[in-house]
PDB file of all heavy atoms in Angstrom:
ATOM      1  N   ASP A 526      92.840 106.985  55.818  1.00  0.00           N
ATOM      2  CA  ASP A 526      94.225 106.858  56.247  1.00  0.00           C
ATOM      3  C   ASP A 526      95.007 106.039  55.226  1.00  0.00           C
ATOM      4  O   ASP A 526      94.755 104.827  55.129  1.00  0.00           O
ATOM      5  CB  ASP A 526      94.271 106.259  57.706  1.00  0.00           C
ATOM      6  CG  ASP A 526      95.641 106.092  58.199  1.00  0.00           C
ATOM      7  OD1 ASP A 526      96.657 106.411  57.505  1.00  0.00           O
ATOM      8  OD2 ASP A 526      95.736 105.614  59.481  1.00  0.00           O
ATOM      9  N   PHE A 529      96.632 102.789  56.666  1.00  0.00           N
ATOM     10  CA  PHE A 529      95.931 101.624  57.247  1.00  0.00           C
ATOM     11  C   PHE A 529      95.469 100.604  56.163  1.00  0.00           C
ATOM     12  O   PHE A 529      95.047 101.050  55.095  1.00  0.00           O
ATOM     13  CB  PHE A 529      94.598 102.083  58.027  1.00  0.00           C
ATOM     14  CG  PHE A 529      93.973 100.936  58.697  1.00  0.00           C
ATOM     15  CD1 PHE A 529      94.320 100.676  60.010  1.00  0.00           C
ATOM     16  CD2 PHE A 529      93.096 100.132  57.992  1.00  0.00           C
ATOM     17  CE1 PHE A 529      93.645  99.635  60.576  1.00  0.00           C
ATOM     18  CE2 PHE A 529      92.447  99.085  58.662  1.00  0.00           C
ATOM     19  CZ  PHE A 529      92.711  98.835  59.919  1.00  0.00           C
ATOM     20  N   THR A 543      81.996 106.674  60.258  1.00  0.00           N
ATOM     21  CA  THR A 543      82.857 107.406  59.424  1.00  0.00           C
ATOM     22  C   THR A 543      82.389 107.362  57.970  1.00  0.00           C
ATOM     23  O   THR A 543      82.408 108.400  57.311  1.00  0.00           O
ATOM     24  CB  THR A 543      84.242 106.798  59.393  1.00  0.00           C
ATOM     25  OG1 THR A 543      84.582 106.492  60.732  1.00  0.00           O
ATOM     26  CG2 THR A 543      85.254 107.668  58.739  1.00  0.00           C
ATOM     27  N   TYR A 608      93.171  90.555  64.675  1.00  0.00           N
ATOM     28  CA  TYR A 608      93.227  92.044  64.637  1.00  0.00           C
ATOM     29  C   TYR A 608      92.570  92.587  65.773  1.00  0.00           C
ATOM     30  O   TYR A 608      91.382  92.299  66.141  1.00  0.00           O
ATOM     31  CB  TYR A 608      92.601  92.533  63.376  1.00  0.00           C
ATOM     32  CG  TYR A 608      92.515  94.019  63.314  1.00  0.00           C
ATOM     33  CD1 TYR A 608      93.556  94.810  63.218  1.00  0.00           C
ATOM     34  CD2 TYR A 608      91.284  94.623  63.374  1.00  0.00           C
ATOM     35  CE1 TYR A 608      93.410  96.154  63.156  1.00  0.00           C
ATOM     36  CE2 TYR A 608      91.043  96.027  63.300  1.00  0.00           C
ATOM     37  CZ  TYR A 608      92.229  96.745  63.225  1.00  0.00           C
ATOM     38  OH  TYR A 608      92.140  98.154  63.158  1.00  0.00           O
ATOM     39  N   ARG A 826      88.707  95.857  97.668  1.00  0.00           N
ATOM     40  CA  ARG A 826      88.640  96.920  96.718  1.00  0.00           C
ATOM     41  C   ARG A 826      87.678  96.236  95.522  1.00  0.00           C
ATOM     42  O   ARG A 826      87.821  96.829  94.357  1.00  0.00           O
ATOM     43  CB  ARG A 826      89.974  97.314  96.035  1.00  0.00           C
ATOM     44  CG  ARG A 826      90.641  98.176  97.067  1.00  0.00           C
ATOM     45  CD  ARG A 826      91.501  99.260  96.285  1.00  0.00           C
ATOM     46  NE  ARG A 826      91.057 100.608  96.565  1.00  0.00           N
ATOM     47  CZ  ARG A 826      90.357 101.328  95.727  1.00  0.00           C
ATOM     48  NH1 ARG A 826      90.202 100.771  94.458  1.00  0.00           N
ATOM     49  NH2 ARG A 826      89.939 102.544  95.908  1.00  0.00           N
ATOM     50  N   GLY A 858      86.613 107.787 107.160  1.00  0.00           N
ATOM     51  CA  GLY A 858      87.847 107.560 106.312  1.00  0.00           C
ATOM     52  C   GLY A 858      87.576 107.583 104.970  1.00  0.00           C
ATOM     53  O   GLY A 858      88.417 106.924 104.217  1.00  0.00           O
ATOM     54  N   ASN A 863      86.261 109.886  96.602  1.00  0.00           N
ATOM     55  CA  ASN A 863      86.981 108.666  96.476  1.00  0.00           C
ATOM     56  C   ASN A 863      85.861 107.528  96.693  1.00  0.00           C
ATOM     57  O   ASN A 863      84.875 107.567  97.126  1.00  0.00           O
ATOM     58  CB  ASN A 863      87.895 108.523  97.505  1.00  0.00           C
ATOM     59  CG  ASN A 863      89.142 109.370  97.109  1.00  0.00           C
ATOM     60  OD1 ASN A 863      89.219 110.114  96.253  1.00  0.00           O
ATOM     61  ND2 ASN A 863      90.257 109.096  97.886  1.00  0.00           N
ATOM     62  N   TRP A 958      85.179 109.598 122.092  1.00  0.00           N
ATOM     63  CA  TRP A 958      85.660 108.342 122.713  1.00  0.00           C
ATOM     64  C   TRP A 958      86.950 108.624 123.587  1.00  0.00           C
ATOM     65  O   TRP A 958      86.987 108.266 124.762  1.00  0.00           O
ATOM     66  CB  TRP A 958      85.929 107.216 121.715  1.00  0.00           C
ATOM     67  CG  TRP A 958      86.053 105.939 122.162  1.00  0.00           C
ATOM     68  CD1 TRP A 958      86.703 105.431 123.348  1.00  0.00           C
ATOM     69  CD2 TRP A 958      85.526 104.778 121.552  1.00  0.00           C
ATOM     70  NE1 TRP A 958      86.441 104.179 123.408  1.00  0.00           N
ATOM     71  CE2 TRP A 958      85.736 103.615 122.369  1.00  0.00           C
ATOM     72  CE3 TRP A 958      84.741 104.486 120.312  1.00  0.00           C
ATOM     73  CZ2 TRP A 958      85.352 102.407 121.995  1.00  0.00           C
ATOM     74  CZ3 TRP A 958      84.369 103.224 120.066  1.00  0.00           C
ATOM     75  CH2 TRP A 958      84.616 102.230 120.875  1.00  0.00           C
TER      76      TRP A 958
ATOM     77  P     C B 295      91.715 100.849  99.651  1.00  0.00           P
ATOM     78  OP1   C B 295      90.912 100.756  98.413  1.00  0.00           O
ATOM     79  OP2   C B 295      93.180 100.836  99.614  1.00  0.00           O
ATOM     80  O5'   C B 295      91.098 102.124 100.618  1.00  0.00           O
ATOM     81  C5'   C B 295      91.855 103.279 100.697  1.00  0.00           C
ATOM     82  C4'   C B 295      91.436 104.050 101.853  1.00  0.00           C
ATOM     83  O4'   C B 295      92.026 103.253 102.997  1.00  0.00           O
ATOM     84  C3'   C B 295      91.845 105.339 102.093  1.00  0.00           C
ATOM     85  O3'   C B 295      90.945 106.190 101.323  1.00  0.00           O
ATOM     86  C2'   C B 295      91.835 105.481 103.599  1.00  0.00           C
ATOM     87  O2'   C B 295      90.459 105.791 103.973  1.00  0.00           O
ATOM     88  C1'   C B 295      92.271 104.233 104.016  1.00  0.00           C
ATOM     89  N1    C B 295      93.678 104.149 104.331  1.00  0.00           N
ATOM     90  C2    C B 295      94.223 104.701 105.505  1.00  0.00           C
ATOM     91  O2    C B 295      93.359 105.321 106.276  1.00  0.00           O
ATOM     92  N3    C B 295      95.551 104.669 105.814  1.00  0.00           N
ATOM     93  C4    C B 295      96.364 104.064 104.971  1.00  0.00           C
ATOM     94  N4    C B 295      97.660 103.975 105.332  1.00  0.00           N
ATOM     95  C5    C B 295      95.839 103.401 103.843  1.00  0.00           C
ATOM     96  C6    C B 295      94.582 103.474 103.563  1.00  0.00           C
ATOM     97  P     A B 296      91.389 107.733 100.868  1.00  0.00           P
ATOM     98  OP1   A B 296      90.421 108.110  99.954  1.00  0.00           O
ATOM     99  OP2   A B 296      92.832 107.692 100.691  1.00  0.00           O
ATOM    100  O5'   A B 296      91.134 108.442 102.300  1.00  0.00           O
ATOM    101  C5'   A B 296      92.191 109.037 102.927  1.00  0.00           C
ATOM    102  C4'   A B 296      91.682 109.659 104.199  1.00  0.00           C
ATOM    103  O4'   A B 296      92.067 108.802 105.262  1.00  0.00           O
ATOM    104  C3'   A B 296      92.276 111.059 104.474  1.00  0.00           C
ATOM    105  O3'   A B 296      91.450 112.035 103.881  1.00  0.00           O
ATOM    106  C2'   A B 296      92.376 111.045 106.012  1.00  0.00           C
ATOM    107  O2'   A B 296      91.018 111.389 106.526  1.00  0.00           O
ATOM    108  C1'   A B 296      92.637 109.637 106.359  1.00  0.00           C
ATOM    109  N9    A B 296      94.081 109.382 106.408  1.00  0.00           N
ATOM    110  C8    A B 296      94.829 108.655 105.463  1.00  0.00           C
ATOM    111  N7    A B 296      96.142 108.607 105.761  1.00  0.00           N
ATOM    112  C5    A B 296      96.182 109.430 106.932  1.00  0.00           C
ATOM    113  C6    A B 296      97.371 109.861 107.691  1.00  0.00           C
ATOM    114  N6    A B 296      98.541 109.406 107.568  1.00  0.00           N
ATOM    115  N1    A B 296      97.062 110.731 108.757  1.00  0.00           N
ATOM    116  C2    A B 296      95.834 111.077 108.974  1.00  0.00           C
ATOM    117  N3    A B 296      94.736 110.678 108.319  1.00  0.00           N
ATOM    118  C4    A B 296      94.976 109.918 107.267  1.00  0.00           C
ATOM    119  P     U B 298      95.993 117.650 104.242  1.00  0.00           P
ATOM    120  OP1   U B 298      95.567 117.237 102.904  1.00  0.00           O
ATOM    121  OP2   U B 298      97.349 117.679 104.567  1.00  0.00           O
ATOM    122  O5'   U B 298      95.473 119.184 104.519  1.00  0.00           O
ATOM    123  C5'   U B 298      94.700 119.899 103.524  1.00  0.00           C
ATOM    124  C4'   U B 298      93.599 120.639 104.138  1.00  0.00           C
ATOM    125  O4'   U B 298      92.888 119.825 105.033  1.00  0.00           O
ATOM    126  C3'   U B 298      94.036 121.859 105.039  1.00  0.00           C
ATOM    127  O3'   U B 298      94.183 123.115 104.301  1.00  0.00           O
ATOM    128  C2'   U B 298      92.768 122.047 105.971  1.00  0.00           C
ATOM    129  O2'   U B 298      91.754 122.677 105.211  1.00  0.00           O
ATOM    130  C1'   U B 298      92.366 120.573 106.135  1.00  0.00           C
ATOM    131  N1    U B 298      92.844 120.041 107.404  1.00  0.00           N
ATOM    132  C2    U B 298      91.895 120.022 108.406  1.00  0.00           C
ATOM    133  O2    U B 298      90.898 120.523 108.298  1.00  0.00           O
ATOM    134  N3    U B 298      92.430 119.500 109.591  1.00  0.00           N
ATOM    135  C4    U B 298      93.680 119.113 109.797  1.00  0.00           C
ATOM    136  O4    U B 298      94.016 118.760 110.961  1.00  0.00           O
ATOM    137  C5    U B 298      94.612 119.235 108.659  1.00  0.00           C
ATOM    138  C6    U B 298      94.151 119.621 107.575  1.00  0.00           C
ATOM    139  P     A B 317      81.457 102.972 136.801  1.00  0.00           P
ATOM    140  OP1   A B 317      82.795 102.904 136.300  1.00  0.00           O
ATOM    141  OP2   A B 317      80.905 104.279 137.303  1.00  0.00           O
ATOM    142  O5'   A B 317      80.423 102.378 135.788  1.00  0.00           O
ATOM    143  C5'   A B 317      79.046 102.596 135.891  1.00  0.00           C
ATOM    144  C4'   A B 317      78.345 102.571 134.453  1.00  0.00           C
ATOM    145  O4'   A B 317      78.647 103.838 133.829  1.00  0.00           O
ATOM    146  C3'   A B 317      79.009 101.576 133.530  1.00  0.00           C
ATOM    147  O3'   A B 317      78.475 100.294 133.607  1.00  0.00           O
ATOM    148  C2'   A B 317      78.740 102.172 132.127  1.00  0.00           C
ATOM    149  O2'   A B 317      77.402 101.917 131.743  1.00  0.00           O
ATOM    150  C1'   A B 317      78.907 103.757 132.522  1.00  0.00           C
ATOM    151  N9    A B 317      80.291 104.178 132.337  1.00  0.00           N
ATOM    152  C8    A B 317      81.260 104.431 133.185  1.00  0.00           C
ATOM    153  N7    A B 317      82.352 104.853 132.722  1.00  0.00           N
ATOM    154  C5    A B 317      82.144 104.974 131.362  1.00  0.00           C
ATOM    155  C6    A B 317      82.798 105.438 130.314  1.00  0.00           C
ATOM    156  N6    A B 317      84.172 105.871 130.398  1.00  0.00           N
ATOM    157  N1    A B 317      82.357 105.452 129.064  1.00  0.00           N
ATOM    158  C2    A B 317      81.099 105.060 128.949  1.00  0.00           C
ATOM    159  N3    A B 317      80.304 104.543 129.843  1.00  0.00           N
ATOM    160  C4    A B 317      80.894 104.541 131.074  1.00  0.00           C
ATOM    161  P     C B 318      79.230  98.983 133.411  1.00  0.00           P
ATOM    162  OP1   C B 318      78.464  97.846 133.822  1.00  0.00           O
ATOM    163  OP2   C B 318      80.525  99.187 134.274  1.00  0.00           O
ATOM    164  O5'   C B 318      79.561  98.873 131.983  1.00  0.00           O
ATOM    165  C5'   C B 318      78.550  98.686 131.051  1.00  0.00           C
ATOM    166  C4'   C B 318      78.985  98.956 129.591  1.00  0.00           C
ATOM    167  O4'   C B 318      79.406 100.327 129.607  1.00  0.00           O
ATOM    168  C3'   C B 318      80.202  98.103 129.290  1.00  0.00           C
ATOM    169  O3'   C B 318      79.726  96.855 128.741  1.00  0.00           O
ATOM    170  C2'   C B 318      80.702  98.951 128.002  1.00  0.00           C
ATOM    171  O2'   C B 318      80.074  98.713 126.853  1.00  0.00           O
ATOM    172  C1'   C B 318      80.472 100.372 128.591  1.00  0.00           C
ATOM    173  N1    C B 318      81.671 101.017 129.219  1.00  0.00           N
ATOM    174  C2    C B 318      82.458 101.709 128.303  1.00  0.00           C
ATOM    175  O2    C B 318      82.252 101.806 127.282  1.00  0.00           O
ATOM    176  N3    C B 318      83.565 102.298 128.912  1.00  0.00           N
ATOM    177  C4    C B 318      83.856 102.154 130.167  1.00  0.00           C
ATOM    178  N4    C B 318      84.894 102.767 130.719  1.00  0.00           N
ATOM    179  C5    C B 318      82.925 101.454 131.053  1.00  0.00           C
ATOM    180  C6    C B 318      81.911 100.878 130.584  1.00  0.00           C
ATOM    181  P     G B 322      87.350 101.322 125.449  1.00  0.00           P
ATOM    182  OP1   G B 322      87.085 102.673 125.123  1.00  0.00           O
ATOM    183  OP2   G B 322      87.917 100.380 124.584  1.00  0.00           O
ATOM    184  O5'   G B 322      88.282 101.339 126.840  1.00  0.00           O
ATOM    185  C5'   G B 322      87.951 102.099 127.823  1.00  0.00           C
ATOM    186  C4'   G B 322      88.857 101.830 129.023  1.00  0.00           C
ATOM    187  O4'   G B 322      88.770 100.507 129.511  1.00  0.00           O
ATOM    188  C3'   G B 322      90.340 102.079 128.699  1.00  0.00           C
ATOM    189  O3'   G B 322      90.822 103.366 128.765  1.00  0.00           O
ATOM    190  C2'   G B 322      91.023 101.143 129.797  1.00  0.00           C
ATOM    191  O2'   G B 322      91.013 101.888 131.023  1.00  0.00           O
ATOM    192  C1'   G B 322      90.016 100.008 129.896  1.00  0.00           C
ATOM    193  N9    G B 322      90.481  98.959 129.017  1.00  0.00           N
ATOM    194  C8    G B 322      89.967  98.498 127.807  1.00  0.00           C
ATOM    195  N7    G B 322      90.381  97.451 127.192  1.00  0.00           N
ATOM    196  C5    G B 322      91.524  97.136 128.101  1.00  0.00           C
ATOM    197  C6    G B 322      92.391  96.110 128.113  1.00  0.00           C
ATOM    198  O6    G B 322      92.493  95.154 127.299  1.00  0.00           O
ATOM    199  N1    G B 322      93.191  96.140 129.159  1.00  0.00           N
ATOM    200  C2    G B 322      93.234  96.983 130.213  1.00  0.00           C
ATOM    201  N2    G B 322      94.098  96.897 131.253  1.00  0.00           N
ATOM    202  N3    G B 322      92.343  97.977 130.355  1.00  0.00           N
ATOM    203  C4    G B 322      91.401  97.987 129.225  1.00  0.00           C
ATOM    204  P     C B 356      83.796 108.332  69.216  1.00  0.00           P
ATOM    205  OP1   C B 356      82.924 109.246  68.399  1.00  0.00           O
ATOM    206  OP2   C B 356      83.214 107.715  70.455  1.00  0.00           O
ATOM    207  O5'   C B 356      84.478 107.228  68.457  1.00  0.00           O
ATOM    208  C5'   C B 356      83.840 106.048  68.111  1.00  0.00           C
ATOM    209  C4'   C B 356      84.002 105.614  66.663  1.00  0.00           C
ATOM    210  O4'   C B 356      83.445 106.653  65.711  1.00  0.00           O
ATOM    211  C3'   C B 356      85.448 105.647  66.250  1.00  0.00           C
ATOM    212  O3'   C B 356      86.074 104.336  66.614  1.00  0.00           O
ATOM    213  C2'   C B 356      85.415 105.743  64.765  1.00  0.00           C
ATOM    214  O2'   C B 356      85.063 104.612  64.159  1.00  0.00           O
ATOM    215  C1'   C B 356      84.132 106.760  64.670  1.00  0.00           C
ATOM    216  N1    C B 356      84.656 108.085  64.496  1.00  0.00           N
ATOM    217  C2    C B 356      85.425 108.621  63.414  1.00  0.00           C
ATOM    218  O2    C B 356      85.775 107.834  62.515  1.00  0.00           O
ATOM    219  N3    C B 356      85.821 109.898  63.304  1.00  0.00           N
ATOM    220  C4    C B 356      85.467 110.725  64.294  1.00  0.00           C
ATOM    221  N4    C B 356      85.888 111.974  64.143  1.00  0.00           N
ATOM    222  C5    C B 356      84.689 110.360  65.373  1.00  0.00           C
ATOM    223  C6    C B 356      84.411 109.167  65.502  1.00  0.00           C
ATOM    224  P     A B 358      88.749  99.435  63.688  1.00  0.00           P
ATOM    225  OP1   A B 358      87.972  98.952  64.851  1.00  0.00           O
ATOM    226  OP2   A B 358      90.178  99.366  63.618  1.00  0.00           O
ATOM    227  O5'   A B 358      88.080  98.697  62.295  1.00  0.00           O
ATOM    228  C5'   A B 358      88.646  98.973  61.013  1.00  0.00           C
ATOM    229  C4'   A B 358      87.609  99.602  60.219  1.00  0.00           C
ATOM    230  O4'   A B 358      88.143 100.795  59.667  1.00  0.00           O
ATOM    231  C3'   A B 358      87.040  98.668  59.153  1.00  0.00           C
ATOM    232  O3'   A B 358      85.741  98.779  59.073  1.00  0.00           O
ATOM    233  C2'   A B 358      87.824  99.242  57.932  1.00  0.00           C
ATOM    234  O2'   A B 358      86.977  99.140  56.876  1.00  0.00           O
ATOM    235  C1'   A B 358      88.119 100.728  58.301  1.00  0.00           C
ATOM    236  N9    A B 358      89.420 101.190  57.785  1.00  0.00           N
ATOM    237  C8    A B 358      90.482 100.409  57.407  1.00  0.00           C
ATOM    238  N7    A B 358      91.469 101.125  56.989  1.00  0.00           N
ATOM    239  C5    A B 358      91.068 102.447  56.981  1.00  0.00           C
ATOM    240  C6    A B 358      91.644 103.600  56.732  1.00  0.00           C
ATOM    241  N6    A B 358      92.830 103.702  56.257  1.00  0.00           N
ATOM    242  N1    A B 358      90.902 104.764  56.965  1.00  0.00           N
ATOM    243  C2    A B 358      89.746 104.608  57.258  1.00  0.00           C
ATOM    244  N3    A B 358      88.985 103.618  57.667  1.00  0.00           N
ATOM    245  C4    A B 358      89.702 102.409  57.591  1.00  0.00           C
TER     246        A B 358
END
Side-chain angles (χ1 to χ4, degrees):
Chain A
D526 180 356
F529 186 91
T543 312
Y608 174 67
R826 291 214 110 251
N863 282 10
W958 199 318

